[in-house]
Amino acid sequence: HNLALIETRRQAAAARALAEESARRDLDQQVTSIQAEVLVEGSERKVRELETLVASLKASLGDAELRMAKSERQAGQMRAELGKLTAELAEEQWQHAGARARLEGVGLRADAASRRALSTTQSWKSERARAEAVLSRPEVADAEPRALFRSATSA
C-alpha cells in the first residue's frame, strides 16, 4: 500500500508539475498575445497617424500646385506685358530720337538767329555809343538838328 501511495504522490507531483508548466505556457502565451495586441494597436495608431499625415501632405501639395499654376500664369502675363512694354519703349525711343534730331535742327537755326541778333545788337550798341560820343561833343551839342542831319548824310 505504501508503494501505491508513493506512486500516486509521484504521479500527482508529476501532474502538478505538468499543470504548472501548462499554466506557465498559457500565461506566457497570454502575455505574448497581449504584447502582440499592444503592438498591433500601436501599429494601427501609427498607421492612422501616417494616413492623416499623408492626407495633409496631399492637400498641401494640391495647394502648392495651385499656387505654382497661378504663379506660372502670372509670369506668362508679366512676360507678355514686358514684351508689349519693350515694344512701346522702342517706339518711344524712335520717336524721341526723331524729336531730338528735329530739336537739334531747330537749335542750329536758333543758334544762327541768335548769332545774327547778337551781331545786330553789337552793331546797334556800337552805333549808339558813337552817336552818344558825337552828340556829347560841345560843337555838336549847340548845333541845330537840321545841320547835324545834313552833315551826317554828307559824310
Side-chain angles (χ1 to χ4, degrees), residues 89-104:
L89 177 62
E91 178 65 26
E92 291 289 329
Q93 287 173 334
W94 178 257
Q95 291 175 3
H96 180 69
R100 180 182 289 145
R102 288 190 298 278
L103 285 174
E104 286 174 356

Side-chain angles (χ1 to χ4, degrees), residues 75-96:
Q77 292 170 346
M78 291 169 83
R79 280 191 291 276
E81 183 70 14
L82 176 62
K84 178 184 165 195
L85 291 174
T86 300
E88 288 179 14
L89 177 62
E91 178 65 26
E92 291 289 329
Q93 287 173 334
W94 178 257
Q95 291 175 3
H96 180 69

